[in-house]
Amino acid sequence: MIEYNSNKQIKIEEFSTPFEMKMDAENRWVKLSKAIPWDELAMIYHRSLSQDKGAKAKDARLVIGAIIIKYKLQLDDRGVIEMIREHPYMQYFCGLSSFTSEPIFDPSLFVTIRKRLGNEAFDQMNQEIIGKALGIKRPSEKKRDKDDGSSDKPNKGKLQIDATVADADIKFPTDVDLLNDSRVKSEEMIDELYSKLTLKQKPRTYRNQARKKFLNFSKKKNRTKKEVRRAIKVQLGYLNRNIKTIDKLLDNFEGKAFPLDNKLQKYLFVIQHVYQQQLEMYKQSKHSCEDRIVSIHQPHVRPIVRGKSGKNVEFGAKIDLNLQQGFARINRFSWDAFNEGTDLIDCIKEYKRVNGCYPELMQVDKIYLTKENRKFMKENGIRHIGKPLGRPAKQEQQTAYQRRKKRKESAERNHVEGTFGTGKRKYRLDEILAKTARTAESWIAAIIFVMNLTKMMSYFLLNFILMIFCSLFPFQVYKNNLPQNLLYPRLA
């Protein structure tokens, strides 16, 4: 059942505490709580809940507030609950009317929330945040359905797009390590099945011998290709023997319930798939295969070849991100590698659906400037910062202003790279600790959502400073030098 208190938020002075203290209205959590459109975010959250089934749900603001605190401060699930329990300002931020020393909810609820919310829900929340910050009124669903793609409004705004990888928290995978992990897990399954049977003798696994050979190999600093190949062959043999043993033990449970729980059953399927992939690569002397598994604990993670210095291959989800005046949205989320250049047209159309017009300038990398994309942008009057195709034309005479403008527009594309850096360094976008594909998707989307909230607060502060500056001095003197889209986003 859904619960949400939509009453007007109390003033910070009315927040009661059991000890004498004066609540500061200028506290960062108080300011942030006033800027967030709680009612709109609560409606989005409620769509993921059952309307009339199940136990009484926690208040939507309480849940969303806890999510924001978690990813803004980079705390673990238990740490978030303890932090809120000890902090009166955070309790006010989460919608409580008075201080309490009791936990707001059990930390395990975070896992359920991450399973419930995905990139779609957080993207809708991002649209609400961006709309409030930039003064954009979202069109109704009926108008979106009737939209045929044409636009009477002139092109306006800049759009930056690029892709990155949100690295999963796994150890660097090697073939021998992966086979050893699979072997150890298969031995655990054999022990579990043997404990449920009455056999005269326990099946042999040679686990001590297999572990000794693996340790002897792993301790070598310099390994030749021949030694690596021999180690793979040895571990393949042990793993094959264990899989056959598991199949024989399972035959004793014919006509009965499956003896392994869901977790071990999933591991069994994964290690069988790992064995088939590694055997195929060993026989064909290659190092890649389709949908290659790099971790038995997170089998959804795939290797993404990026070709960057120091890190040629990354392991995680690949996201295609667009940036509008510093606010980010995820265009595409995938665990498999993809060509981000094919997403440009869809991204431009989505920009038009949200803003009511096409962007005036696309600041993108060369991979997005395909012939098809160039043709679409030309037909819709959209400029881009890339070089034209074909033989270079003769040097055109450009004014100093045109040269300066071209350099500035090309340099502005780095803003999306800066967003990636902020997400990975400050919000740990390069260390996703969630274990399943669904919870990892929510984890990544929540980081982008919190980054937009932080950007919104700095955006409001900058607008406030510029408005004071213009009120103290004649506006006509500075109007050509100040960014008008920051002063009046609705008129930009």
Side-chain angles (χ1 to χ4, degrees), residues 320 331-332 338-348 368:
D320 195 18
N331 302 325
R332 186 174 177 182
F338 61 86
N339 181 5
E340 55 266 31
T342 59
D343 298 332
L344 181 68
I345 296 178
D346 292 336
C347 184
I348 294 176
Y368 292 93

Side-chain angles (χ1 to χ4, degrees), residues 196-208:
K196 296 181 180 181
L197 294 171
T198 55
L199 300 178
K200 295 182 180 179
Q201 186 177 4
K202 186 176 182 179
R204 292 185 179 181
T205 57
Y206 299 96
R207 64 185 68 189
N208 294 332

Side-chain angles (χ1 to χ4, degrees), residues 49-68:
L49 300 178
S50 175
Q51 299 296 323
D52 54 0
K53 296 180 180 180
K56 189 176 181 179
K58 295 292 182 180
D59 186 78
R61 174 164 176 175
L62 189 70
V63 174
I64 298 172
I67 292 175
I68 294 172

Side-chain angles (χ1 to χ4, degrees), residues 325-378:
Q325 296 191 35
F327 294 92
R329 286 183 61 193
I330 298 178
N331 302 325
R332 186 174 177 182
F333 184 101
S334 176
W335 291 103
D336 296 313
F338 61 86
N339 181 5
E340 55 266 31
T342 59
D343 298 332
L344 181 68
I345 296 178
D346 292 336
C347 184
I348 294 176
K349 291 180 178 179
E350 177 63 20
Y351 180 95
K352 191 261 176 184
R353 284 194 292 269
V354 174
N355 296 271
C357 64
Y358 288 117
E360 190 271 334
L361 176 65
M362 292 296 301
Q363 297 167 313
V364 294
D365 205 354
K366 292 181 180 179
I367 194 171
Y368 292 93
L369 299 177
T370 61
K371 291 183 178 179
E372 182 182 359
N373 292 341
R374 287 172 183 264
K375 180 181 178 182
F376 179 84
M377 288 188 286
K378 185 177 180 180

Side-chain angles (χ1 to χ4, degrees), residues 372-426:
E372 182 182 359
N373 292 341
R374 287 172 183 264
K375 180 181 178 182
F376 179 84
M377 288 188 286
K378 185 177 180 180
E379 291 174 350
N380 293 279
I382 304 173
R383 296 191 299 113
H384 60 82
I385 60 174
K387 295 181 180 180
L389 297 176
R391 181 178 297 177
K394 293 182 179 180
Q395 186 68 25
E396 297 181 359
Q397 203 68 19
Q398 292 182 335
T399 63
Y401 168 76
Q402 290 174 331
R403 292 193 296 270
R404 186 167 63 250
K405 180 181 179 182
K406 186 176 181 180
R407 287 196 301 269
K408 179 183 176 182
E409 290 177 347
S410 299
E412 284 177 349
R413 198 200 71 82
N414 294 328
H415 292 173
V416 68
E417 299 288 354
T419 302
F420 293 152
T422 302
K424 292 187 177 183
R425 286 183 174 271
K426 185 176 180 180

